[in-house]
Amino acid sequence: MGRFTAVTLGMVACLALAMLFGGVFSMMALLYITVFTFFMDKLTAMAAPDHPGAEFPAGDGLSATLGVLHFPLLYGGVWAISGSDLTLLDKVLIFFALSLFLGQVSNSNAHELIHRSSRPLHRLGVAVYSSVLFGFHASAHVRVHHIHAATAQDPNSARLGQNFYHFAGRAWVGALRQGFRAESKFRKGKGLHPYAIYTAYAVASIAIAALIGGWGGVLALLGLSTYAQTQLLLSDYVQHYGLRRAESTPGKWEPVGPQHSWNSPHGFSSALMLNAPRHSDHHSHPSRPYPGLELDRDAMPILPQSLPVMAVLALVPPIWRRVMDKRVEKWAAPRP
C-alpha cells in the first residue's frame, strides 16, 4: 500500500502547492503526472509484483482519503483558474495538471469506490463522478459495461478499426441511455431513481463553481469536467480496443476472460491509477480491491506502452492502428 499512497498523495501535494503558490509548483504538478510518470515507468516497469498474493490490504483508507480530497482539489482548482491572482501561465498549467489528475487518479478511485459493497464508499464514488458531471457512469459501468464488455452491446468497447473520435460520442451517449434503461429495469420504479441523484449532484457542483467564480467558475468546471471525462473514455477505448467475446449461441457470449481486456504492467502509472491498468483481473473479479489485482502476461493482452502513453497514441488514429491492429489480430486468432 505504501507505493499507492506515496505516488497518489505526492500528486495531491503538488496540486495543492500549485493552487496556493503557483510559480514553480504549477510546473512541478504538470511534470509530475506527465514527464516524471513516464520516466518512472521506464525505471519501475517490473517493480510491482504480478501476483500480490492472497493476503493484501483492501485499500479502503486511501480510496476514502482520495475521494474526500477530490472536492477541495476540484473546487480549489476552479478558484485558482477563475478567481485567483495567479498568473495566466500558472492557471494554464494548473488546468492541465488538475484535469489529468481528475481523469487518471480521481476517475480511477471513483471507479474503485462504486464497486465497494460499503454504502458510504459507494456513495462517495457517485459524488466524485457527479461533481465532474459524469454521475451516470456509476450506473452504466456496473450495469452495462461489466455485463456486456467486449461485445457489440457495450457502447464502451471499441471495435477493431474504430477511431477514438467516433467511439467517444457513441460511448458517452450510449452509456447515458443504456445506463438509464438498465437502472430503471433494476429499480422497477422503487425508490428515487439514481439519475435524479446524479442530476442533483451535478446541479450542486455547478452552483458551487458559480459561487466560487461566477460564470468563469462555471466555465472552469465545465472545462475540467470535459477533460476528465475524455480521459475516462480514452481509458475505456484503449483497454478494450478490438477485443471481442465469442458468441456461443445467438445473443449469448462466452464469459469475460483474461483475453478480453488490455493491460499495462508499468509500476508508477499503475500506482497512480490504483491498478486500473490491470484491467483483465478487474473484469474477472470486480469486487477484488485494487492492491490485489493480478497480471498474467501469457493469458492477458499487454499494451506496448503504459496506459497514459497509449491514450495519447489513441488521439492519432493512423499511429494507433499501426501499433494496435496487428496485436488485436494476434489475440483474435484461435488460441491453443
Side-chain angles (χ1 to χ4, degrees), residues 179-201:
F180 181 84
R181 288 197 293 265
E183 198 70 76
S184 300
K185 183 178 180 180
F186 178 78
R187 297 278 167 171
K188 297 179 179 178
K190 297 179 181 178
L192 185 63
H193 198 287
Y195 271 54
I197 297 173
Y198 307 151
T199 301
Y201 280 171

Side-chain angles (χ1 to χ4, degrees), residues 176-261:
L176 176 69
R177 291 175 174 171
Q178 290 181 228
F180 181 84
R181 288 197 293 265
E183 198 70 76
S184 300
K185 183 178 180 180
F186 178 78
R187 297 278 167 171
K188 297 179 179 178
K190 297 179 181 178
L192 185 63
H193 198 287
Y195 271 54
I197 297 173
Y198 307 151
T199 301
Y201 280 171
V203 170
S205 186
I206 293 171
I208 292 170
L211 288 173
I212 292 171
W215 285 110
V218 173
L219 289 175
L221 177 66
L222 292 175
L224 291 166
S225 299
T226 300
Y227 205 125
Q229 292 180 30
T230 301
Q231 291 279 298
L232 190 149
L233 292 169
L234 277 166
S235 292
D236 280 343
Y237 178 81
V238 170
Q239 291 179 125
H240 290 285
Y241 176 75
L243 301 175
R244 282 290 186 260
R245 289 151 62 186
E247 192 171 10
S248 51
T249 59
K252 299 290 184 180
W253 288 267
E254 64 175 325
V256 174
Q259 71 275 25
H260 296 129
S261 302

Side-chain angles (χ1 to χ4, degrees), residues 67-114:
V68 170
L69 289 174
H70 164 88
F71 298 99
L73 287 175
L74 173 62
Y75 299 117
V78 168
W79 167 80
I81 294 165
S82 66
S84 72
D85 294 328
L86 295 173
T87 68
L88 178 59
L89 177 59
D90 282 330
K91 293 181 179 185
V92 170
L93 294 174
I94 289 171
F95 174 83
F96 286 107
L98 180 58
S99 295
L100 289 168
F101 174 86
L102 296 173
Q104 296 180 22
V105 183
S106 274
N107 267 336
S108 297
N109 187 54
H111 165 259
E112 190 70 21
L113 289 168
I114 64 171

Side-chain angles (χ1 to χ4, degrees), residues 105-135:
V105 183
S106 274
N107 267 336
S108 297
N109 187 54
H111 165 259
E112 190 70 21
L113 289 168
I114 64 171
H115 278 286
R116 288 290 190 263
S117 58
S118 163
R119 185 170 294 180
L121 291 179
H122 179 85
R123 287 176 174 173
L124 179 58
V126 169
V128 170
Y129 276 132
S130 298
S131 69
V132 291
L133 318 182
F134 211 31

